[in-house]
């Protein structure tokens, strides 16, 4: 067969068979180019599969600081625009035109959502600190605002005012930390809700407000102490009359000799004894209050003398009354039934 015959036969083959080797080569080349380009997205894979919550949790630990949160915020804020520059809207690979808009928008939006979540984290942390500080301040204010019930309570309140002053001093460093949170939010253009902004300025104002409340509390204490002192002076005048009246009663007890009236006299004796105990307590209270007011203590030793003078009468008529009530049991009853302590 001559060469012209072979040529004639090749010309009769289909065009697809003639182009197959070249097409396979182009396809392999296209596949490699496409695979190579797709591989450039591998660096985004971890970020794509991560959750927004995981990025927030990463900087929401006891060990992380506000500086760490700012670093993360800055990174994601920058990445919002960077991914749009890194990835073209469309790319031509050989005969293929690839639309990249959806993936680049997805990545940019996710960075934006993480940015918003981190901003919210900072705002929430600041809000929590404000609420905790204000809760303590409210509790202290309630104590500072209480009126003095008596001289002893006035002393307690004055001591409480000093404690509150110290506690407010301890809270000042925490309050001083708050501006950094709000400055960070301002730096990243976070719009703070009105309610949260109100909490912020309320927290800032508490130290001065508490100083004013303490000044008012001290004034109330002074007014109450003056009132208590005036009341005490009036009560002491009446108390002096009570002492004299009880002294007359005790002196008159020597005249009680009617045994037939033992039960009545014994009952009166109990009342006198209770009244003398009351006078003793009043005397101690007056002296204690005089000490609180810085006054010289009144001598109430007469009360003790009256109590001592009355003790024999009390013992006498109490014993006599017991004898009359129990003599039949003690004399005629069984010896085994006797109560030694009662006797």
């Amino acid at each position: 067969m001559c060469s012209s015959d072979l040529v004639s036969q090749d010309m009769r083959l289909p065009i697809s068979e003639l182009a197959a080797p070249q097409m396979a080569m182009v396809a392999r080349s296209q596949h490699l180019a496409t695979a190579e380009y797709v591989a450039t997205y591998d660096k985004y894979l971890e970020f794509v599969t991560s959750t927004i919550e995981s990025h927030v949790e990463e900087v929401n630990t006891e060990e992380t600081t506000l500086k760490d949160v700012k670093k993360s915020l800055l990174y994601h804020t920058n990445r919002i625009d960077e991914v749009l520059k890194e990835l073209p809207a469309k790319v031509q690979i050989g005969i293929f035109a690839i639309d990249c808009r959806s993936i680049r928008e997805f990545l940019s939006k996710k960075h934006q959502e993480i940015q918003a979540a981190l901003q919210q984290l900072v705002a929430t942390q600041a809000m929590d600190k404000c609420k905790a500080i204000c809760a303590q301040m409210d509790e202290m204010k309630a104590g500072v605002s209480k009126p003095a019930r008596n001289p002893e309570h006035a002393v307690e309140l004055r001591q409480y005012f000093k404690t509150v002053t110290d506690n407010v001093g301890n809270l000042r460093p925490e309050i001083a930390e708050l501006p950094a949170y709000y400055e960070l939010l301002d730096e990243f253009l976070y719009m703070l809700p009105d309610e949260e902004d109100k909490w912020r300025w309320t927290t800032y104002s508490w130290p001065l407000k508490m100083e004013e409340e303490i000044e008012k509390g001290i004034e109330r204490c002074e007014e109450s102490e003056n009132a208590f002192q005036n009341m005490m002076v009036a009560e002491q005048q009446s108390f002096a009359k009570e002492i004299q009246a009880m002294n007359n009663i005790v002196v008159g007890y020597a005249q009680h000799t009617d045994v037939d009236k033992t039960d009545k006299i014994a009952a009166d004796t109990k009342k006198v004894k209770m009244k003398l105990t009351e006078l003793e307590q009043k005397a101690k209270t007056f002296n204690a209050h005089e000490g609180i007011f810085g006054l010289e203590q009144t001598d109430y030793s007469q009360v003790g003398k009256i109590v001592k003078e009355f003790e024999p009468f009390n013992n006498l008529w109490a014993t006599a009354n017991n004898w009359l009530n129990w003599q039949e049991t003690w004399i005629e009853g069984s010896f085994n039934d006797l109560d030694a302590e009662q006797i």
Side-chain angles (χ1 to χ4, degrees):
M1 183 180 294
C2 64
S3 59
S4 59
D5 294 334
L6 291 173
V7 173
S8 300
Q9 290 179 357
D10 288 341
M11 292 297 291
R12 291 194 293 269
L13 291 175
I15 189 63
S16 59
E17 292 184 15
L18 292 173
Q22 291 81 0
M23 291 177 65
M25 184 179 299
V26 170
R28 283 195 299 271
S29 175
Q30 186 69 55
H31 175 74
L32 291 174
T34 304
E36 183 179 348
Y37 179 73
V38 171
T40 62
Y41 285 85
D42 289 347
K43 62 181 179 181
Y44 302 106
L45 183 59
E46 183 179 354
F47 178 72
V48 170
T49 57
S50 67
T51 63
I52 295 175
E53 291 75 17
S54 67
H55 291 276
V56 175
E57 292 171 0
E58 186 177 339
V59 293
N60 188 23
T61 67
E62 294 182 359
E63 292 75 20
T64 52
T65 64
L66 192 61
K67 185 177 180 181
D68 297 322
V69 180
K70 180 179 180 179
K71 182 178 179 181
S72 183
L73 253 174
L74 188 60
Y75 169 77
H76 289 286
T77 300
N78 291 336
R79 292 298 292 165
I80 293 173
D81 293 327
E82 287 176 353
V83 293
L84 297 178
K85 295 177 181 178
E86 292 173 2
L87 301 175
K90 292 182 180 181
V91 62
Q92 187 75 32
I93 301 178
I95 62 173
F96 295 111
I98 301 176
D99 190 336
C100 304
R101 286 176 297 181
S102 60
I103 183 62
R104 70 201 292 266
E105 289 174 2
F106 170 81
L107 292 171
S108 179
K109 183 179 179 182
K110 188 167 185 177
H111 281 295
Q112 190 172 5
E113 291 174 347
I114 294 173
Q115 178 204 46
L118 290 172
Q119 288 176 322
Q120 185 59 55
L121 172 65
V122 175
T124 300
Q125 289 177 338
M127 184 69 166
D128 290 343
K129 288 178 180 293
C130 286
K131 286 185 175 181
I133 293 170
C134 288
Q136 294 181 65
M137 292 291 193
D138 283 329
E139 183 178 355
M140 289 188 286
K141 179 180 178 295
V144 169
S145 301
K146 290 181 179 179
R149 299 187 298 270
N150 49 52
E152 290 84 0
H153 189 217
V155 173
E156 292 177 7
L157 284 174
R158 286 184 178 276
Q159 183 58 47
Y160 182 67
F161 297 155
K162 295 179 181 179
T163 300
V164 169
T165 299
D166 292 339
N167 290 343
V168 172
N170 294 334
L171 287 173
R172 285 183 183 274
E174 294 184 34
I175 297 174
E177 293 176 357
L178 288 172
Y181 286 82
Y182 293 107
E183 288 170 6
L184 179 58
L185 292 173
D186 289 341
E187 181 179 345
F188 288 92
L189 306 178
Y190 178 80
M191 296 297 294
L192 194 67
D194 291 342
E195 184 66 19
E196 293 182 25
D197 196 42
K198 181 179 178 181
W199 276 99
R200 169 171 57 158
W201 294 108
T202 298
T203 305
Y204 288 165
S205 67
W206 258 120
L208 178 59
K209 182 179 179 181
M210 189 62 74
E211 289 179 6
E212 295 172 350
E213 290 296 329
I214 290 175
E215 290 178 1
K216 293 177 183 177
I218 292 174
E219 291 177 1
R220 284 195 299 270
C221 271
E222 291 175 350
E223 293 174 358
S224 297
E225 286 167 344
N226 290 334
F228 292 143
Q229 184 174 338
N230 293 334
M231 188 183 304
M232 182 190 72
V233 171
E235 290 176 349
Q236 284 180 302
Q237 294 175 354
S238 299
F239 185 60
K241 295 179 181 178
E242 288 184 67
I243 294 174
Q244 187 58 48
M246 290 307 299
N247 183 66
N248 295 337
I249 291 175
V250 171
V251 170
Y253 252 80
Q255 301 175 5
H256 293 305
T257 58
D258 191 347
V259 179
D260 293 335
K261 298 181 179 179
T262 296
D263 56 344
K264 181 179 181 303
I265 296 174
D268 289 339
T269 300
K270 287 183 179 180
K271 293 179 181 179
V272 173
K273 176 67 175 177
M274 291 175 62
K275 183 63 177 178
L276 288 174
T277 300
E278 180 184 329
L279 292 183
E280 284 184 303
Q281 185 57 50
K282 279 188 176 182
K284 292 178 181 178
T285 300
F286 282 134
N287 285 156
H289 289 177
E290 286 171 334
I292 292 174
F293 299 138
L295 303 175
E296 183 179 353
Q297 292 191 343
T298 304
D299 182 8
Y300 287 120
S301 59
Q302 185 183 1
V303 176
K305 293 177 182 179
I306 296 174
V307 171
K308 188 173 182 180
E309 291 174 4
F310 181 70
E311 194 62 28
F313 297 114
N314 180 62
N315 292 337
L316 171 64
W317 290 107
T319 301
N321 190 53
N322 285 337
W323 170 254
L324 291 177
N325 291 333
W326 294 96
Q327 62 175 325
E328 184 176 347
T329 300
W330 291 344
I331 295 175
E332 300 179 2
S334 171
F335 181 79
N336 292 331
D337 295 335
L338 297 179
D339 186 338
E341 292 185 4
Q342 187 182 65
I343 296 174

